Amino acid sequence: MGGKYYAKTAEEIADDAFRSPENYQKFVDAVGGNRQIADAAARRYFAGLAENAKTPKQVEDLLKNNRAILNEIPSVRQEITSRYLAPMQKMERRATAAQDIKTAAREEINTIGSAIQSADKALADRLKNI
């Protein structure tokens, strides 16, 4: 290197280590073959990525784009699915249902409002003759 230093940020190192199954295996070798340490690091890395996802689609894309490496670490895949994807999908379904309920309630309010106006007009017409 001729006295020059090349520095990588922690994010760049993590990105490199968890980019492919081969790089992950190199990382496992670098930590002395201890898969528990490597799995814990992978868990933190992918949890950080999943926490930045705002929608279930983004979590699904995370799982899809990292399928090869997550096949090497099925416990991390399972954790992302159960901790992030499933609750987000559930919240999305609830939000959709709430929106449907809101729409139905507004339609019902309009229907009731129209019925009240019709009844009020009919009552006013009857009272005119009295």
Side-chain angles (χ1 to χ4, degrees):
M1 295 288 295
K4 295 181 183 179
Y5 294 97
Y6 179 73
K8 284 188 175 185
T9 64
E11 291 86 16
E12 290 172 332
I13 293 170
D15 287 342
D16 287 346
F18 302 114
R19 181 169 295 153
S20 69
E22 295 80 20
N23 287 356
Y24 176 71
Q25 190 56 46
K26 289 177 188 175
F27 178 65
V28 171
D29 293 341
V31 294
N34 191 336
R35 292 232 6 150
Q36 291 175 336
I37 292 173
D39 287 355
R43 186 172 286 108
R44 283 191 301 274
Y45 174 76
F46 286 109
L49 293 178
E51 286 173 359
N52 290 331
K54 305 283 187 235
T55 65
K57 174 79 169 109
Q58 290 175 335
V59 177
E60 289 170 353
D61 288 344
L62 169 70
L63 291 169
K64 185 176 89 177
N65 294 338
N66 295 291
R67 179 179 299 134
I69 184 70
L70 290 172
N71 285 341
E72 294 290 317
I73 321 164
S75 63
V76 174
R77 173 188 293 281
Q78 179 60 36
E79 189 171 329
I80 291 171
T81 302
S82 65
R83 274 193 163 172
Y84 298 98
L85 183 60
M88 284 181 143
Q89 288 173 332
K90 188 182 228 182
M91 289 185 328
E92 190 174 69
R93 285 191 303 270
R94 285 182 179 173
T96 302
Q99 188 63 34
D100 292 345
I101 291 169
K102 177 182 170 186
T103 302
R106 284 190 183 202
E107 290 173 4
E108 190 67 26
I109 287 170
N110 291 338
T111 303
I112 291 171
S114 296
I116 289 173
Q117 286 177 351
S118 296
D120 193 33
K121 185 177 183 215
L123 183 60
D125 288 344
R126 282 187 172 179
L127 290 176
K128 248 196 257 182
N129 295 333
I130 296 177

